Amino acid sequence: MPEFDTRAAATLIREAGAIDGALRQRMEGLTTAIWGLALPAMFLTYGLIHAEVGHEGSRWLGLLWLPWGLAGLAVTTTAWRGARLSDPAVPPRARDRWMQAGGFVVAYGLAVWLAFRFADRVGPESFAMLAVGALWTILAVVDLRRSSPTGRWLRIAVGVALFATGLVMAQALAPDSMAAAPVGTAASAIAPLAAGLYQAWRA
Amino acid sequence: MSLDPVLHQEARLRIVALLARNRLASFGFMRDALDLTDGNLGAHLQRLEQRGYVVSRRVLAGVSFRVRYSLTQQGSNAFRLYAEEVARILEGARG
C-alpha cells in the first residue's frame, strides 16, 4: 500500500469535492436562481407601492428591499440544509461565523444609512438596485462560502450587472419615474435566473 | 503540532471529508461513493465513533427508520484543524 503522506492528504481534501461536486454546482446554481425570484419581488413591491402612494416617504422605500433580502437568505439557507450539504465544505471556525454575521449586520446598517441619505435623490428603485448590486458583488468577491470557480465568477458577473443597471437607472430615470420598477424587476430577474440556471444545468 | 493520527489515514480522511460535505450519509452511500468494502468501512467508522468524531443515529427515511452517520462538532473541529495543519506543513515545505 502506498505511503499516505501530507501531500496525498492535501490532494485528497482538495479532491473530496469531486464526489458531490455536481450536486454542489447544482445547489449553487439554484441558489442564484432563487435570488432571481426574490429580487424581482422587491421591485414588484416597489411598483405596487409606487402606483398606490407615489414616492412619498421615499427614504423608507429605500429600505423596502431589506426584508426580501432576509427572506431570500432564509430560503437559500434552508435549501442547502435540505440537500444535506454543508456550506462551505470545510466547516468554518466559530470566530469566522461571528465575523460573517457581523459583516451582514454592518452591511445592512450601512445600507439603511445610505438609504436615508441618498434614496430620495436617485429614487428608491435605483437605490435598491445599486445596494443589491454592490452587496452581491462584495459577497461574491470575498466568497466566504468558498464557491466553485464557475459559481464565483457567475455571481461576480451578476453583481456587476445589477450594479451597472442601478447606475443606468439612477442616471437615465427621474427619481419618481414609473418606469423604474418594471426595469428593476426585469433586470433583477434576468441576470440571476440566467446565471443560476446556466450553472445548474451545466453541472 | 502533529497531525491527528486518527484522521491521517486515507480511508478515514475520505470518510470524514465526505461527511463534512454531506451532513448525513448512509452506510451504503459511503461504501459506494468511497469504493470501500463493508468490513473496511465498518471498522473505520467504529474507530471514528470511538474517538467521538462520528455519530450514528436512526432517522426517518420514507416509511422506516434508517441509520445515518454524521460528523460531531468534535469531528468537524478535528477535520478543520487537520486541513489547516496539512496546509501549514506544505506552506512550510515550500519555504
Side-chain angles (χ1 to χ4, degrees), chain B residues 11 44 74:
Chain B
H44 287 304
Q74 191 183 343

Side-chain angles (χ1 to χ4, degrees), chain A residues 70-183:
Chain A
L70 291 174
L73 199 62
V75 172
T76 50
T77 303
T78 306
W80 278 85
R81 292 190 70 84
R84 306 269 186 227
L85 283 169
S86 59
D87 182 22
V90 177
R93 302 171 191 215
R95 190 189 67 191
D96 293 342
R97 284 201 183 122
W98 281 110
M99 282 180 66
Q100 188 176 352
F104 271 113
V105 171
V106 169
Y108 270 50
L110 189 64
V112 170
W113 181 74
L114 288 171
F116 274 88
R117 279 189 68 89
F118 300 112
D120 54 351
R121 296 190 206 168
V122 297
E125 294 92 345
S126 304
F127 175 81
M129 187 64 89
L130 287 167
V132 167
L135 196 58
W136 190 301
T137 307
I138 290 167
L139 288 175
V141 169
V142 174
D143 196 28
L144 289 168
R145 292 180 167 182
R146 300 180 204 172
S147 314
S148 64
T150 308
R152 190 180 180 203
W153 283 111
L154 281 170
R155 282 170 56 216
I156 290 174
V158 168
V160 170
L162 294 177
F163 191 78
T165 305
L167 283 177
V168 171
M169 286 168 66
Q171 291 294 318
L173 301 174
D176 59 349
S177 169
M178 290 293 282
V183 170

Side-chain angles (χ1 to χ4, degrees), chain A residues 1-2 4-10 12-14 16-21 23-24 80-81 83-94 97, chain B residues 3 7-11 13-14 17-24 29 33-34 71 73 76-77 79-80 82-87 89-90 93-94:
Chain A
M1 194 173 178
F4 187 61
D5 61 8
T6 312
R7 196 169 297 280
L12 194 154
I13 291 168
R14 197 167 48 245
I19 294 168
D20 52 50
L23 176 58
R24 294 185 71 82
W80 278 85
R81 292 190 70 84
R84 306 269 186 227
L85 283 169
S86 59
D87 182 22
V90 177
R93 302 171 191 215
R97 284 201 183 122
Chain B
L3 289 169
L7 293 183
H8 194 56
Q9 198 282 339
E10 184 172 355
L13 185 58
R14 290 171 68 208
L18 180 69
L19 288 174
R21 299 177 73 85
N22 300 268
R23 292 179 188 281
L24 288 175
F29 169 73
L34 303 173
L71 273 190
Q73 189 58 50
S76 181
N77 291 340
F79 177 54
R80 180 177 48 71
Y82 179 85
E84 287 175 358
E85 186 62 12
V86 164
I89 290 170
L90 291 178
R94 275 193 210 105

